[in-house]
Amino acid sequence: MTDPLFWHRVQFGFTVTYHYLFPQLTMGLAPLIVYFQAMALRRNDDRYRRAARFWARIFAVNFAVGVVTGIPMEFQFGTNWARFSAFSGGVIGQTLAMEGMFAFFLESSVLGLFLYGEERLGPKLHLASAVLLALGAWLSGYFIIATNAFMQHPVGHVVGPDGTLQLGSFWAFVLNPWAFWQYAHNMSAAMITGSFVVAAVGALYALQGLHPEQAALYLRTGVVVGLAFSVLQLFPTGDRHGKMVAQLQPTALAAMEGAFHGGPHVGLAIIGQPDVEHDRLENAIEVPGILSFLAYGTFGQDIRGLEEFPRDQWPDNIEVLYYAYHVMAGLGTLFIALMAWATFKLWRGTLLASRATLWMLLLAVPFPYIATTAGWTTAELGRQPWLVYGILRTVAGTSPRVSAGDTVFTLLGFCGLYLVLGLLFLFLVARELSRGPGAPVAEQEPRAALGEAR
């Protein structure tokens, strides 16, 4: 507990996990807002227009808190990870700067136009602002993923005369093959979060008997999009990303599955407890041969177990890595089942009358956030003990002059600040949910006429 490295990792893990609660929803909501706005323009339908306005307000609250919680991480690259920044800043600084200069400013500028410029812009330009808003959110995600992909699978770099990493090929770095599937998997997860939240708000209004038209629209959109992306999360994005891990980070794959011993026909562990001290998976229930098939496409392919690698190259927290991976995979399977059931009820025309299903959709809101957190935990612990895989160990990337006491002190400060921000966020979202999407035009006009008469 007195090791500064431990507290540096705890602090960054806490701040980045808390921060990512918000961008995953903005990235998931942005395309849905474009959909609502496009349908409003195409059908001249007030229901979709009110839905776009309502979800844009939720988007704005998420965006604001996401910006505030993201700023400390930029500083931590210098305060807590100074040697990592000095060593690799010549490469990763490119995408981090592009994220701030292009994607973030595009997203923040267009958000104001979309929220307050509907009457001045007109329908088509207002739709264009929604498209640019989504583009900014997704570009921002790509630049961050490209940065992380370099840490997972470093390409496009050269070693400079001073021993630091420099950019060798911009396009090789930005188009890192690891980034493509990681980005697809990550954005699919963001769409799952967005669609689950939209469906849950629809379920909430339906259970309360409020805003029936909007409740039906949110439920229909949420469950259909949620089912589509829950399936895509499994295949092809999860499948292809998993194959890349098997090929380029075999120790991570072995740790994720608790595979201490390798060979052909290795089974997929459904459940079990890793015992690192004795190199075994206790009480394991496995499906024979499936891990070999999923990783390489054939049941007889050899899987390299952890015992085939030097122990100092093993991920340093195999237990947490193993459980995080299985929580992610288990929840992903349940998402498909829940959304398939809800879609079936929607197809039968009984979803709005099925209070049990509505309650399941409402109570499911936290689980995409848990699954995403578990997924990122799997990716980051699987990369250990490296900061830049195969090049820079985590222990060599810290700031040697920052003590454990300094880091604990600032961590406590972050905990207090984020508690206040979290309460403010919940208050603002609850206020928007209470205000609702507004009354239909047909109800607004008589009220306006009555006001003028008075």
Side-chain angles (χ1 to χ4, degrees), residues 60-302:
V61 174
N62 268 270
F63 180 78
V65 181
V67 170
V68 173
T69 56
I71 291 173
M73 291 188 304
E74 300 285 346
F75 287 100
Q76 286 180 61
F77 281 115
T79 56
N80 299 62
W81 302 97
R83 289 186 292 176
F84 164 65
S85 298
F87 178 71
S88 60
V91 180
I92 65 170
Q94 308 294 323
T95 41
L96 291 177
M98 291 169 70
E99 193 272 339
M101 292 299 296
F102 301 129
F104 172 72
F105 283 117
L106 172 64
E107 190 179 3
S108 54
S109 303
V110 175
L111 177 59
L113 289 175
F114 184 78
L115 285 175
Y116 304 109
E118 183 175 358
E119 293 185 2
R120 290 181 177 273
L121 292 174
K124 291 184 179 178
L125 285 178
H126 195 231
L127 173 60
S129 68
V131 173
L132 289 173
L133 180 68
L135 179 64
W138 279 51
L139 264 180
S140 178
Y142 186 79
F143 289 134
I144 297 301
I145 290 291
T147 304
N148 185 265
F150 178 79
M151 298 167 68
Q152 302 282 355
H153 176 54
V155 295
H157 65 282
V158 296
V159 179
D162 59 353
T164 63
L165 299 183
Q166 302 296 327
L167 196 61
S169 168
F170 173 79
W171 292 112
F173 165 58
V174 173
L175 301 179
N176 187 337
W178 186 288
F180 178 80
W181 287 113
Q182 185 180 9
Y183 181 68
H185 197 54
N186 186 77
M187 301 314 285
S188 176
M191 290 302 300
I192 291 172
T193 300
S195 58
F196 268 63
V197 169
V198 170
V201 172
L204 174 66
Y205 287 155
L207 288 167
Q208 293 178 326
L210 298 173
H211 315 296
E213 284 188 343
Q214 293 292 300
L217 176 60
Y218 299 166
L219 282 167
R220 185 170 66 249
T221 304
V223 299
V224 172
V225 175
L227 176 60
F229 280 93
S230 294
V231 173
L232 289 173
Q233 190 69 359
L234 176 66
F235 184 86
T237 66
D239 175 71
R240 295 301 303 171
H241 191 50
K243 284 181 167 59
M244 194 160 286
V245 171
Q247 178 185 356
L248 300 173
Q249 292 186 359
T251 53
L253 177 71
M256 286 158 58
E257 283 293 339
F260 292 93
H261 311 290
H265 306 287
V266 175
L268 181 73
I270 303 300
I271 197 170
Q273 301 93 49
D275 182 350
V276 178
E277 183 179 354
H278 299 98
D279 294 354
R280 65 189 181 192
L281 188 66
E282 295 182 340
N283 306 312
I285 298 177
E286 298 181 342
V287 183
I290 294 298
L291 182 58
S292 295
F293 178 78
L294 291 177
Y296 297 105
T298 60
F299 293 100
Q301 179 70 42
D302 282 348

Side-chain angles (χ1 to χ4, degrees), residues 9 42 87 126 205 252 293 301 324 346 361 377 381 443:
R9 292 179 65 185
R42 180 179 178 183
F87 178 71
H126 195 231
Y205 287 155
F293 178 78
Q301 179 70 42
L346 178 69
L361 291 172
T377 301
L381 290 183
E443 295 179 13

Side-chain angles (χ1 to χ4, degrees), residues 6-15 76 80 404-418:
F6 171 80
W7 289 108
H8 289 317
R9 292 179 65 185
V10 168
Q11 184 180 93
F12 196 82
F14 169 72
T15 53
Q76 286 180 61
N80 299 62
D406 293 334
T407 310
V408 172
F409 178 77
T410 51
L411 176 60
L412 291 173
F414 281 127
C415 290
L417 174 64
Y418 285 3

